[in-house]
Amino acid sequence: MAAWTTDDIPPQQGRTVVVTGANSGLGLATTRALVDAGARVLMAVRDVEAGGRVAAELGGAVTVGRLDLADLTSVREFAAGVDHPVDVLVNNAGLMGIPKARTADGFEMQLGVNYLGHFALTGLLLDRITDRVVTLSSGLHRLGRIRLDDLNYDSGRYERWTAYGQSKLACLMFAYELEYRFTGSGSRLRSMAAHPGYAATNLQSRTETVADAVMGVLNKVIAQSGEDGALPTLHAATAPDLPGGMYIGPGGPGEMWGAPVPVGSSAASHDRAVRRRLWDLSEDLTGVPYPV
């Protein structure tokens, strides 16, 4: 079977996609490919001025909306402004390996942006989504452990990479649990997860440590492009017959690069008891109850 590429994206005319973090990195590559395929894309971005410049360059049916995933008020305002059906929601935006910080609502920043903000956004948009939700995880979800007793590092030592791993494990568990609930409620909606492998983006330049320089070198030597890194997301978002609950990543060595294929995930990601407790805790923290 030939490797899946953007040439395999079905025509997207008449379809609407919301992409978070759409003005740079993987989000921009995802948005560009969807627009080229004919989709209407709502770019959900923190900086609407920068997003507007990108939208003007892209052409096509592109609109821009302000979304700050580190502020639940902004998440609610964005969701309230979406007054039309959304075929696909792509939960793409994220932070990686940053120093300890807090969101406007007091959440640990990586968990708040990567996971809790998207959990709230998905729940608030769910009555307008008509096809599927795609949530970005990472191969580094395997570093994570869901700290149900201290999810936001309110006590104890903060370690940025285990915090990142927790946030991406939470994203993956959310995608699986959402699909479980869709199926159990008889919904026709689908929930997918994807990860980009090692893709060269600006995500690797925010740790404020020597790791930024190291990853900058690795980006040039071993990383695949942002366009290739976006392929798993695009496959999860557009493949018409893809079953819900799939996790799509690069098929090459170590899932670092290569064409998108279904991939496996850690045993922890399939722990239904923890997934259920994380879900309940997420509803409590965000104040967003789900109808499924």
Side-chain angles (χ1 to χ4, degrees):
M1 181 180 294
W4 195 94
T5 72
T6 52
D7 292 337
D8 296 299
I9 298 175
Q12 297 294 296
Q13 285 81 5
R15 290 173 65 80
T16 298
V17 185
V18 174
V19 181
T20 69
N23 63 333
S24 65
L26 297 172
L28 175 55
T30 300
T31 298
R32 181 179 288 114
L34 290 169
V35 171
D36 288 347
R40 174 191 179 192
V41 178
L42 171 52
M43 299 173 60
V45 299
R46 187 173 59 177
D47 184 340
V48 293
E49 185 175 334
R53 290 193 295 268
V54 171
E57 294 172 4
L58 289 173
V62 184
T63 55
V64 179
R66 183 180 183 278
L67 172 67
D68 183 354
L69 289 161
D71 185 345
L72 290 179
T73 297
S74 174
V75 174
R76 291 181 180 279
E77 290 174 349
F78 174 85
V82 178
D83 59 358
H84 51 76
V86 172
D87 294 281
V88 183
L89 169 62
V90 178
N91 290 323
N92 163 83
L95 297 170
M96 183 177 77
I98 62 169
K100 187 175 183 179
R102 296 284 176 186
T103 70
D105 303 280
F107 306 143
E108 187 274 313
M109 185 66 76
Q110 294 186 92
L111 186 79
V113 170
N114 297 352
Y115 169 60
L116 288 170
H118 283 126
F119 180 93
L121 177 66
T122 304
L124 292 166
L125 288 178
L126 202 56
D127 62 345
R128 278 148 284 171
I129 296 173
T130 64
D131 182 7
R132 68 186 80 177
V133 178
V134 179
T135 301
L136 270 285
S137 184
S138 166
L140 293 181
H141 80 272
R142 297 178 185 276
L143 296 177
R145 177 181 68 86
I146 303 300
R147 297 160 49 100
L148 291 170
D149 58 339
D150 188 19
L151 201 61
N152 285 294
Y153 287 85
D154 294 317
S155 62
R157 181 174 178 269
Y158 174 79
E159 206 292 311
R160 68 182 72 202
W161 291 107
T162 55
Y164 176 72
Q166 175 184 238
S167 75
K168 286 302 182 177
L169 175 58
C171 288
L172 185 51
M173 295 178 85
F174 166 64
Y176 288 156
E177 183 67 13
L178 184 59
E179 175 62 23
Y180 181 90
R181 294 180 182 228
F182 282 159
T183 301
S185 66
S187 173
R188 297 175 62 185
L189 300 180
R190 288 173 282 178
S191 172
M192 319 287 193
H195 83 84
Y198 192 164
T201 71
N202 58 2
L203 192 66
Q204 292 101 339
S205 62
R206 300 175 183 174
T207 70
E208 300 179 20
T209 70
V210 68
D212 289 345
V214 173
M215 288 188 288
V217 172
L218 293 176
N219 279 359
K220 297 177 182 179
V221 175
I222 66 171
Q224 61 181 350
S225 68
E227 287 72 23
D228 286 340
L231 288 175
T233 302
L234 290 163
H235 183 66
T238 66
D241 298 324
L242 194 66
M246 300 300 291
Y247 182 33
I248 307 298
E255 300 176 16
M256 298 285 280
W257 53 80
V261 296
V263 296
S265 60
S266 67
S269 69
H270 296 287
D271 188 326
R272 178 86 213 292
V274 174
R275 279 181 7 210
R276 186 168 57 247
R277 291 176 64 193
L278 175 64
W279 184 285
D280 292 343
L281 183 56
S282 301
E283 286 190 332
D284 290 342
L285 288 170
T286 63
V288 177
Y290 271 66
V292 294

